[in-house]
Amino acid sequence: MGQTMKMFMAGLAFVMLAACNDDQKMDMIPEIDDSFYAELFGGEVRVSDPDNPGQQVEQGYLNLRTVVINTVMEIATNDGGAYDDLQPYFSVLLSEVGRGETSGFTTLVSDFTDLLAQATGAKNFTYGGLSMADAHDPAKNPRMNGLVNDSDYDLFIQAVVAGAAQAGITSQAVIGPVGELLESLRGPIVQRGAGEQLDLYTRLGGSGLIEDPDREGALVEVGYLALRQVVTSTVLVIATNQGGKYDDLQPYFSVLLAEVGGGNFSGFQQLVKDFSDFLAANIGSQNIGYGGMNMADAHNPVANARMTGRITAEDYDLFVEAVVEGALENGVPMEVILEFGAILNSSGLRGAIIQA
């Protein structure tokens, strides 16, 4: 128990002891509410709700909600890049708000405020969301991108403190208990070690949805769009074959090139989709799986009629070079390209694809 909490509890115990030992004052002293919600945040006093005209809200809940809204906005606006490291976790939310959809924002604010209200002693609010462990596990919460580490959780607490300050709440008597509450949740929330990176899919943009530039009226995950652009560029780099750089790869794509030459792009689109799906499924996507042929069959002319010839190690290296070129065309950072290279050059994948 922190020093602030100890001092508060000691003071509370003193007041309760004094009241209980003086029968003559019992009727004059109101019942002591020993929750932080009542003592420090305003409690159940009803006040006008500034965000919902004509409605009232408990003062304690309003104060907590204001802090939560300020915290989310502090992270979202990210002035000076102070919260760059938190942006990936909020990919879904930021993408929604970016296209004018605020239901996710409203739900997040409500859930986080309910959690704080219940934890600080509110009697009329109950948190009914996921457990903290599940809420911060992308495998169990599709709105979460990436696993949180200690340093990023510290940065989140910093955002909460900043959000509280914007609401005029700077007293250590208030900030202290809230900080201790957040610290008590560190265990289930922090699920990534200090030396572990965020998964590659999250770093490419994750599962936040944006308008698909290639499909009018459709939405696409930010991370998937980044992959699809690289894959598309890779195929085009090979197909255009400027300077004859990829002459040795042309025979493998003879079926595809003939189709495109005849104005049929269905095979091209399917190849881009399959390769993008394969990459997404292997770098951390929770929503996109690969449903195509296994890599050995896909590159075996006997099993795949669209494949002509068995790939050599030299030609596979040339293909990886084309992927790098496609990634560079799309501004992918070199450190990410190197990670892609490690995946493409993994022994299992190379072993399945190289068959000559």
Side-chain angles (χ1 to χ4, degrees):
M1 182 179 292
Q3 189 62 29
T4 301
M5 189 78 78
K6 289 178 180 177
M7 291 174 63
F8 178 81
M9 294 303 291
L12 177 62
F14 177 81
V15 172
M16 292 181 69
L17 181 62
C20 291
N21 284 338
D22 191 343
D23 292 339
Q24 293 180 343
K25 294 183 180 179
M26 283 297 290
D27 292 338
M28 298 175 58
I29 299 176
E31 179 181 354
I32 298 297
D33 187 334
D34 62 354
S35 77
F36 291 115
Y37 185 80
E39 292 290 333
L40 301 178
F41 298 115
E44 298 175 9
V45 176
R46 307 288 292 182
V47 297
S48 296
D49 189 337
D51 296 332
N52 297 287
Q55 298 183 31
Q56 290 195 318
V57 63
E58 291 186 8
Q59 181 68 66
Y61 193 84
L62 175 59
N63 285 336
L64 288 172
R65 191 183 69 196
T66 301
V67 172
V68 170
I69 291 174
N70 289 349
T71 298
V72 176
M73 295 305 297
E74 177 81 4
I75 294 169
T77 54
N78 192 27
D79 287 341
Y83 300 103
D84 279 349
D85 290 343
L86 297 185
Q87 302 302 296
Y89 305 114
F90 291 87
S91 170
V92 173
L93 177 69
L94 295 176
S95 297
E96 288 174 345
V97 173
R99 61 176 188 271
E101 183 179 325
T102 59
S103 60
F105 172 81
T106 301
T107 299
L108 173 62
V109 169
S110 176
D111 283 349
F112 191 19
T113 308
D114 287 350
L115 172 69
L116 291 177
Q118 179 178 331
T120 54
K123 297 177 180 178
N124 300 320
F125 297 95
T126 302
Y127 173 69
L130 294 168
S131 70
M132 288 298 98
D134 287 353
H136 295 85
D137 181 352
K140 297 177 181 177
N141 179 10
R143 296 186 62 81
M144 184 69 186
N145 277 260
L147 297 172
V148 179
N149 64 9
D150 270 314
S151 61
D152 289 346
Y153 191 61
D154 289 340
L155 190 58
F156 173 74
I157 293 177
Q158 179 181 319
V160 174
V161 173
Q166 291 169 20
I169 301 173
T170 57
S171 169
Q172 185 59 29
V174 179
I175 297 299
V178 172
E180 291 188 4
L181 167 63
L182 294 175
E183 279 298 330
S184 74
L185 298 174
R186 183 181 292 270
I189 290 177
V190 173
Q191 301 178 36
R192 177 165 59 93
E196 301 174 36
Q197 281 193 313
L198 279 171
D199 64 87
L200 187 50
Y201 193 77
T202 294
R203 281 182 283 138
L204 286 175
S207 61
L209 294 172
I210 59 174
E211 293 183 2
D212 191 331
D214 299 326
R215 295 172 175 81
E216 186 176 355
L219 298 174
V220 61
E221 292 189 2
V222 179
Y224 189 81
L225 177 59
L227 288 174
R228 196 180 72 200
Q229 289 172 331
V230 170
V231 170
T232 300
S233 293
T234 298
V235 177
L236 290 176
V237 160
I238 295 170
T240 54
N241 190 27
Q242 292 185 3
K245 181 177 181 179
Y246 298 106
D247 280 347
D248 290 343
L249 297 184
Q250 301 301 296
Y252 303 113
F253 291 88
S254 62
V255 174
L256 177 68
L257 294 175
E259 289 174 344
V260 172
N264 179 3
F265 291 90
S266 60
F268 171 81
Q269 292 168 347
Q270 189 63 49
L271 173 61
V272 169
K273 180 182 184 303
D274 284 348
F275 191 18
S276 300
D277 288 354
F278 176 79
L279 290 175
N282 281 278
I283 64 171
S285 172
Q286 298 294 326
N287 303 320
I288 298 169
Y290 173 67
M293 303 176 74
N294 65 59
M295 289 297 101
D297 286 350
H299 295 86
N300 181 351
V302 176
N304 180 8
R306 297 184 62 82
M307 187 69 187
T308 53
R310 296 178 184 272
I311 297 178
T312 65
E314 293 78 9
D315 289 345
Y316 186 67
D317 290 339
L318 188 59
F319 170 74
V320 172
E321 190 174 330
V323 174
V324 171
E325 188 173 338
L328 289 172
E329 282 187 0
N330 287 277
V332 178
M334 183 54 67
E335 62 268 21
V336 173
I337 292 176
L338 291 175
E339 289 186 57
F340 270 119
I343 293 171
L344 295 175
N345 282 312
S346 63
S347 58
L349 190 56
R350 282 185 70 93
I353 293 176
I354 296 171
Q355 301 180 25

